């Protein structure tokens, strides 16, 4: 369909939309744009009809002669596509992974790295993000990893469905996904090409005003390709044989992320979020690629081999991970629940306290702890087992809507507050309760209900999820009050 507001003789610039193609039911507006850099007057108007990508849609008279505008155009992949302005991102990239959304959120337009040893779950997280994140469009680059992972993607993705704005028919997520496949048995130099192709595709969709998420699994394989190419060019090697320009190459790649005002009319904003998996050999984060990546990215989801060995998945280590977007996103999250910041702080504090307490327990045993410290340990266990762990292969936990994440945080914090109160304040019988009493008496049923929160299915309507979890938080408060007054 051509745009309606065009006239012959009108000035057009790179980025101006001259028409749209209905790509599929999920991606309804594939915009046809004047190529970046072209400027001139419209000589012929685009007309509706069937075109292939090489046929001329309309003609622009430029200072260098006539330019045919087609459905497709060429762009050198190493050069970032232009934008008008870079903007501060304020919306979160919701991943559907509790540990990431609650503790280490990224923005639409953010840069994230997932470093982790082999088998820690980098590919699982990247795929979960491609399946369930709140972006309009996903570009998944399999770069130098095993071929059967790409085959899995091809098998799994078409079977998964989503809805437009939560309504209408179920549509395959494949309709919004672009795959750039490059497996470990392909020529090494092609890894370089696949990364740049991926980011240029992302920029192309961003220029249409879309929120694009790009996954690159794994950027370490690309860095190895750089090492090999630079070796052949007889360049001076730096740390571990990687080229001295490794850091700047990585930075140039990640800098192409971000939220922008796109060129051309109509006015529109788009964003690219980059999630790059990094596979340091042996899981050693001091390797040059990981170290260079960590200096660039704003969000760091560090995967931990020990957690993965214990089958704690996603194995995001809460002691080393961090997000620099906490501040810009806090307004969004507090808008979802006014107490969100408090819940988050409580959960982080409990996990930190647990670290110190575990050392004491290992030295002198659990009996030496005070009752409030036992409460902290108990709740830390609940957080780790029920909240942070999320089995990507289960129906109930393959993704977690934000409302469920926040509800679970609320319940856990309510339980923690009540436990602390019960073991420090006197009950009507004149003595505080003990954790052992709580866990073996009235608390047992509550704890069981807390461990069952995760079984709420992600497709249950939001209001119902909130109501169920609110009611549980209420029952916890009531249960403790009754026990204190006995
Ligand atoms: N979120 C998860 N839930 C359940 N199992 C997981 C999860 N993440 C990883 N795993 C398990 O770990 C294995 C290795 O994960 P993978 O993503 O292939 O690791 P990597 O890409 O880091 O080498 C998977 O096959 C799966 O069994
Ligand atoms: Mg992998």
């Amino acid at each position: 369909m051509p745009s309606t507001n065009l006239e012959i003789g009108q000035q057009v610039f790179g980025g101006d939309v001259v028409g749209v193609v209905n790509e599929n039911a999920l991606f309804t507006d594939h915009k046809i744009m004047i190529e970046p850099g072209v400027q001139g007057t419209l000589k012929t108007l685009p007309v509706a009809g069937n075109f292939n990508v090489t046929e001329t849609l309309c003609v622009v008279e430029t200072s260098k002669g006539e330019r045919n505008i087609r459905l497709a155009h060429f762009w050198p992949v190493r050069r970032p596509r232009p934008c008008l302005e870079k903007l501060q991102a304020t919306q979160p990239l919701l991943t559907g992974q509790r540990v990431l959304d609650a503790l280490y959120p990224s923005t639409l337009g953010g840069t994230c790295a997932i470093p982790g040893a082999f088998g820690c779950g980098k590919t699982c997280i990247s795929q979960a993000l491609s399946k369930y994140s709140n972006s309009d469009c996903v570009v998944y680059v399999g770069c130098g990893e095993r071929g059967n992972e790409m085959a899995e993607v091809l098998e799994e993705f078409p079977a998964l469905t989503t809805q437009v704005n939560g309504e209408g028919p179920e549509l395959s997520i494949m309709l919004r996904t672009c795959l750039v496949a490059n497996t470990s048995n392909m020529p090494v130099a092609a890894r370089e090409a696949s990364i740049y192709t991926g980011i240029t595709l992302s920029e192309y969709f961003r220029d249409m005003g879309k929120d694009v998420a790009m996954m690159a699994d794994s950027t370490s394989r690309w860095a190895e390709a750089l090492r090999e190419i630079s070796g052949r060019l007889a360049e001076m090697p730096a740390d571990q044989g990687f080229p001295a320009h490794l850091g700047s190459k990585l930075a140039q790649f990640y800098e192409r992320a971000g939220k922008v005002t796109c060129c051309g009319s109509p006015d529109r904003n788009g964003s690219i979020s980059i999630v790059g998996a990094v596979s340091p050999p042996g899981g050693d984060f001091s390797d040059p690629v990981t170290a260079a990546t960590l200096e660039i990215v704003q969000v760091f989801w560090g995967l931990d081999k020990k957690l993965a060995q214990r089958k704690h998945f996603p194995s995001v280590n809460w002691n080393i991970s961090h997000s620099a977007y906490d501040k810009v996103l806090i307004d969004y999250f507090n808008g979802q629940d006014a107490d969100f910041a408090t819940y988050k702080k409580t959960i982080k504090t409990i996990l930190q306290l647990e670290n110190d307490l575990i050392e004491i327990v290992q030295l002198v045993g659990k009996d030496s702890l005070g009752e409030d410290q036992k409460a902290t340990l108990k709740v830390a266990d609940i957080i780790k087992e029920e909240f942070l762990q999320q089995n990507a292969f289960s129906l109930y936990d393959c993704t977690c809507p934000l409302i469920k994440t926040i509800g679970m945080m609320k319940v856990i914090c309510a339980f923690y507050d009540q436990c602390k109160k019960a073991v420090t304040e006197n009950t009507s019988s004149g003595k505080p309760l003990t954790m052992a009493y709580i866990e073996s008496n009235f608390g047992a049923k509550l704890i069981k209900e807390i461990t069952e929160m995760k079984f709420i299915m992600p497709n249950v309507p939001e209001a119902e999820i909130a109501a169920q979890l609110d009611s549980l938080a209420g029952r916890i408060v009531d249960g403790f009050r009754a026990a204190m007054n006995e």
Side-chain angles (χ1 to χ4, degrees):
M1 283 296 295
S3 300
T4 48
N5 55 352
L6 298 172
E7 286 165 18
I8 289 198
Q10 177 186 341
Q11 278 278 341
V12 285
F13 301 92
D16 282 353
V17 177
V18 293
V20 288
V21 175
N22 187 341
E23 188 76 37
N24 57 48
L26 198 56
F27 201 102
T28 47
D29 56 337
H30 188 137
K31 297 194 171 69
I32 309 160
M33 298 165 289
I34 306 271
E35 307 171 33
V38 173
Q39 181 179 353
T41 52
L42 261 186
K43 200 165 171 198
T44 67
L45 288 182
V47 286
N50 287 325
F51 292 88
N52 66 28
V53 289
T54 53
E55 280 166 348
T56 301
L57 202 65
C58 60
V59 179
V60 175
E61 180 86 54
T62 69
S63 54
K64 293 180 200 134
E66 286 186 358
R67 184 79 166 239
N68 294 336
I69 301 300
R70 307 184 169 99
L71 289 184
H73 63 255
F74 286 95
W75 186 261
V77 291
R78 280 171 198 273
R79 181 136 54 91
R81 287 170 66 90
C83 61
L84 268 191
E85 191 186 4
K86 288 234 168 190
L87 303 171
Q88 167 73 295
T90 49
Q91 295 293 309
L93 171 75
L94 296 176
T95 60
Q97 303 289 308
R98 280 192 290 275
V99 53
L100 306 183
D101 289 344
L103 302 183
Y104 312 105
S106 174
T107 54
L108 286 173
T111 46
C112 323
I114 320 179
F118 178 75
C120 283
K122 301 180 293 295
T123 305
C124 270
I125 293 190
S126 317
Q127 293 189 0
L129 256 66
S130 336
K131 291 175 192 165
Y132 303 110
S133 71
N134 61 338
S135 33
D136 299 324
C137 178
V138 172
V139 178
Y140 187 94
V141 184
C143 176
E145 291 282 305
R146 291 176 298 134
N148 50 352
E149 281 176 0
M150 280 321 278
E152 263 170 36
V153 170
L154 278 176
E155 240 169 48
E156 278 175 23
F157 281 28
L160 286 162
T161 57
T162 180
Q163 283 172 310
V164 187
N165 301 327
E167 43 191 90
E170 294 279 338
L171 300 165
S172 164
I173 60 161
M174 207 61 190
L175 299 177
R176 62 154 201 202
T177 310
C178 249
L179 299 176
V180 181
N182 181 307
T183 55
S184 48
N185 55 350
M186 295 185 187
V188 173
R191 295 177 188 170
E192 171 112 325
S194 63
I195 290 280
Y196 284 114
T197 309
I199 189 72
T200 309
L201 278 173
S202 311
E203 283 175 343
Y204 174 66
F205 291 119
R206 173 203 69 190
D207 288 346
M208 294 179 199
K210 304 268 178 204
D211 292 318
V212 185
M214 167 174 173
M215 324 290 158
D217 188 8
S218 132
T219 53
S220 291
R221 304 282 161 264
W222 168 43
E224 283 161 15
L226 288 177
R227 173 163 67 183
E228 183 151 336
I229 295 167
S230 120
R232 298 230 179 130
L233 295 176
E235 288 173 356
M236 178 78 86
D239 200 2
Q240 291 187 22
F242 286 103
H245 58 249
L246 174 70
S248 68
K249 279 265 182 172
L250 286 169
Q252 278 165 11
F253 165 63
Y254 281 103
E255 272 164 12
R256 291 171 77 170
K259 182 175 172 181
V260 302
T261 308
C262 311
C263 296
S265 70
D267 293 344
R268 54 200 189 273
N269 293 339
S271 72
I272 302 179
S273 323
I274 298 186
V275 179
V278 189
S279 10
D284 172 14
F285 287 179
S286 62
D287 115 287
V289 186
T290 317
T293 307
L294 291 191
E295 281 184 17
I296 303 160
V297 296
Q298 301 291 317
V299 180
F300 165 52
W301 297 325
L303 304 187
D304 188 300
K305 206 164 188 172
K306 286 211 187 80
L307 290 176
Q309 277 163 353
R310 267 189 258 147
K311 295 278 168 269
H312 175 121
F313 285 119
S315 60
V316 176
N317 183 333
W318 51 89
N319 293 318
I320 57 173
S321 302
H322 78 90
S323 163
Y325 296 123
D326 276 343
K327 276 215 183 85
V328 288
L329 289 176
I330 200 66
D331 284 343
Y332 175 88
F333 283 112
N334 279 342
Q336 302 288 312
D337 185 318
D339 290 324
F340 181 84
T342 323
Y343 302 151
K344 178 167 171 168
K345 196 160 167 227
T346 312
I347 288 185
K348 280 196 168 174
T349 317
I350 296 173
L351 290 171
Q352 260 165 22
L353 285 175
E354 191 221 12
N355 264 346
D356 308 336
L357 292 177
I358 282 193
E359 270 178 32
I360 301 179
V361 170
Q362 279 167 350
L363 281 175
V364 286
K366 202 171 175 182
D367 293 336
S368 61
L369 295 182
E371 285 299 321
D372 59 331
Q373 292 173 322
K374 284 184 193 160
T376 307
L377 275 189
K378 177 70 198 167
V379 179
D381 274 346
I382 292 180
I383 294 175
K384 287 193 297 185
E385 307 268 318
E386 315 304 333
F387 185 73
L388 298 183
Q389 289 192 29
Q390 194 176 342
N391 184 345
F393 301 108
S394 62
L395 282 178
Y396 54 88
D397 251 356
C398 53
T399 180
C400 184
L402 186 62
I403 194 108
K404 181 173 156 192
T405 303
I406 296 179
M408 288 174 80
M409 292 168 89
K410 182 175 182 174
V411 167
I412 292 171
C413 290
F415 183 73
Y416 181 65
D417 290 343
Q418 293 299 322
C419 280
K420 282 216 90 147
K421 212 166 121 195
V423 298
T424 47
E425 289 176 13
N426 284 341
T427 65
S428 48
S429 62
K431 264 198 329 208
L433 300 177
T434 64
M435 271 316 280
Y437 176 83
I438 296 174
E439 280 176 54
S440 57
N441 277 281
F442 72 100
K445 191 170 150 281
L446 294 176
I447 292 175
K448 181 160 175 287
E449 280 196 69
I450 292 175
T451 59
E452 282 167 358
M453 287 190 294
K454 59 172 179 278
F455 296 126
I456 299 176
M457 297 296 277
N459 56 0
V460 173
E462 291 201 344
E464 205 170 304
I465 297 183
Q468 279 189 31
L469 293 172
D470 273 348
S471 125
L472 176 55
R475 282 202 300 284
I476 290 174
V477 176
D478 293 345
F480 273 86
R481 189 182 302 131
M484 299 278 286
N485 291 333
E486 250 171 31

